[in-house]
Amino acid sequence: MADLFPRSFSDGEEMIGRLMNNFWQDRSLATDIKEFDSYYEVKADLPGIKKEDIKVTYANDTLTIRAKHTANSEEKDDDGHYLRRERTSSTYERSFAMKDIDEENIKASFENGVLTLELPKKVVKEIHGKDIPIQ
């Protein structure tokens, strides 16, 4: 029966850990994008992330949100000896193709674990063209 599982899953705790990591990875950086007449609103959930650990860029018609989360956990006995000490580090990144954005006027705020971006649309002047007479 042991042959039914790959060797990397032979340890039950390891298997559950990997499954849970995949579960949370797939749901990381949940993002909503709404379109309004003059701008797009982007909201990204980043609970537990500090504002200084978030980087937002807009280049080549692509909006990219990057975030880094580091956590330390320690358990000591009464004598101050470590029983368990864990460090975790996660990096999240999402990119979206967003054309015709007025990048000079993008606004960003971060409150209660939610990153909110306002991306104004470029004002595109309609060019009517010119009729060319045929001779």
Side-chain angles (χ1 to χ4, degrees):
M1 182 146 189
D3 294 327
L4 296 176
F5 292 101
R7 286 180 190 244
S8 61
F9 288 148
S10 60
D11 182 311
E13 184 177 343
E14 182 180 347
M15 180 174 78
I16 297 299
R18 287 185 186 196
L19 290 173
M20 290 308 291
N21 283 342
N22 288 337
F23 175 82
W24 289 113
Q25 241 175 358
D26 291 343
R27 284 154 185 79
S28 63
L29 204 51
T31 307
D32 297 328
I33 301 175
K34 285 185 182 177
E35 181 176 10
F36 296 92
D37 289 339
S38 60
Y39 68 97
Y40 295 97
E41 179 184 73
V42 177
K43 289 193 175 204
D45 291 340
L46 295 164
I49 308 271
K50 297 176 190 165
K51 182 171 80 169
E52 54 271 11
D53 292 333
I54 301 170
K55 183 175 181 179
V56 180
T57 57
Y58 181 78
N60 301 318
D61 294 332
T62 303
L63 174 71
T64 302
I65 302 169
R66 291 182 186 90
K68 180 180 176 184
H69 181 261
T70 304
N72 295 318
S73 173
E74 297 179 354
E75 292 180 28
K76 295 182 181 181
D77 65 11
D78 293 336
D79 296 327
H81 300 288
Y82 289 111
L83 298 174
R84 184 178 189 145
R85 186 174 184 183
E86 296 181 358
R87 291 173 236 35
T88 59
S89 180
S90 302
T91 303
Y92 308 95
E93 182 173 329
R94 293 283 306 267
S95 294
F96 304 94
M98 314 244 351
K99 292 187 176 190
D100 300 323
I101 301 296
D102 180 3
E103 61 189 88
E104 297 300 319
N105 293 304
I106 295 174
K107 295 177 185 171
S109 63
F110 186 65
E111 187 175 339
N112 296 325
V114 178
L115 173 68
T116 303
L117 303 170
E118 186 176 304
L119 297 102
K121 296 177 182 178
K122 281 185 183 176
V123 178
V124 180
K125 295 180 183 177
E126 193 173 317
I127 300 173
H128 294 287
K130 177 181 174 184
D131 287 335
I132 300 172
I134 300 174
Q135 298 182 8

